[in-house]
């Protein structure tokens, strides 16, 4: 099989299979080194990315953490009884969390790494320690992020109300 055919075979594999394939991860890191850049398709962990990508268990934990944070922010917003705007607030909060996971500040990256290294948190499908997740959410989302979530929720509520508001007809 030629090199091109070999590369094409990788395109049809499950991405999770690739992440667990040390050979593929090493090739990816080598490819980045050859071009002198970062071709990590979205994650910007700086120098720590190579270490993260070469450790499939740690990278898998990052995926579990992302899923757990999404779940926890949904539960948090549900607890606030926001009614029909819960969905738009949750969607915005999740988008902001993903953005923070992809491009964490050095401080947030340190906090994420600390959580990823805690073996006791990663024995199940989700992280069940809600205190750890809520603390991480409060550290990741800034006041500006919460203002954006509130603004999106307010706009959503306004749109819903205006949909049912009586429209005055102007007669000529």
């Amino acid at each position: 099989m030629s090199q091109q055919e070999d590369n094409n075979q990788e395109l049809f594999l499950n991405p999770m299979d690739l992440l667990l394939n040390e050979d593929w991860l090493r090739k990816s890191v080598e490819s980045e080194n050859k071009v002198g850049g970062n071709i990590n398709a979205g994650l910007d962990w700086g120098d720590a990315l190579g270490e993260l990508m070469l450790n499939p268990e740690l990278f898998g934990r990052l995926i579990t953490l992302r899923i757990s944070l999404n779940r926890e922010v949904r539960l948090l917003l549900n607890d606030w009884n926001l009614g029909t705007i819960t969905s738009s607030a949750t969607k915005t909060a999740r988008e902001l969390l993903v953005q923070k996971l992809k491009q964490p500040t050095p401080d947030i990256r340190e906090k994420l790494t600390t959580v990823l290294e805690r073996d006791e948190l990663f024995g199940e499908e989700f992280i069940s320690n809600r205190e750890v997740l809520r603390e991480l959410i409060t550290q990741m989302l800034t006041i500006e992020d919460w203002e954006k979530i509130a603004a999106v929720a307010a706009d959503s509520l306004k749109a819903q109300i205006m949909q049912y508001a009586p429209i005055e007809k102007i007669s000529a």
Side-chain angles (χ1 to χ4, degrees), residues 125-143:
E125 181 180 5
F126 294 107
I127 296 173
S128 59
N129 188 328
R130 295 183 71 190
E131 287 179 34
V132 168
L133 294 170
R134 288 204 178 187
E135 182 179 337
L136 198 51
I137 288 169
T138 60
Q139 293 170 343
M140 291 175 72
L141 296 178
T142 64
I143 295 297

Side-chain angles (χ1 to χ4, degrees), residues 61-75 94 97 101 121-122 124-130 133-134 137:
R61 286 181 177 191
L62 180 62
I63 293 168
T64 300
L65 179 59
R66 180 189 55 81
I67 293 167
S68 298
L69 286 169
N70 280 342
R71 179 176 175 260
E72 190 59 35
V73 81
R74 179 182 51 83
L75 294 172
R94 285 177 171 174
L97 284 171
L101 285 170
L121 295 175
F122 294 93
E124 303 171 20
E125 181 180 5
F126 294 107
I127 296 173
S128 59
N129 188 328
R130 295 183 71 190
L133 294 170
R134 288 204 178 187
I137 288 169

Side-chain angles (χ1 to χ4, degrees), residues 73-127:
V73 81
R74 179 182 51 83
L75 294 172
L76 175 67
L77 293 173
N78 279 340
D79 288 349
W80 293 351
N81 295 317
L82 299 175
T84 59
I85 62 172
T86 301
S87 176
S88 61
T90 301
K91 181 180 180 213
T92 304
R94 285 177 171 174
E95 289 170 356
L96 290 167
L97 284 171
V98 166
Q99 186 178 53
K100 305 283 179 158
L101 285 170
K102 285 183 174 183
Q103 297 180 320
T105 63
D107 184 45
I108 295 298
R109 185 171 54 230
E110 184 179 318
K111 289 172 179 23
L112 290 170
T113 302
T114 300
V115 170
L116 291 172
E117 291 173 346
R118 290 183 57 186
D119 293 337
E120 77 276 7
L121 295 175
F122 294 93
E124 303 171 20
E125 181 180 5
F126 294 107
I127 296 173

Side-chain angles (χ1 to χ4, degrees), residues 142-159:
T142 64
I143 295 297
E144 292 81 14
D145 294 330
W146 287 110
E147 287 174 350
K148 182 175 183 177
I149 293 165
V152 167
D155 289 346
S156 175
L157 182 59
K158 179 180 177 183

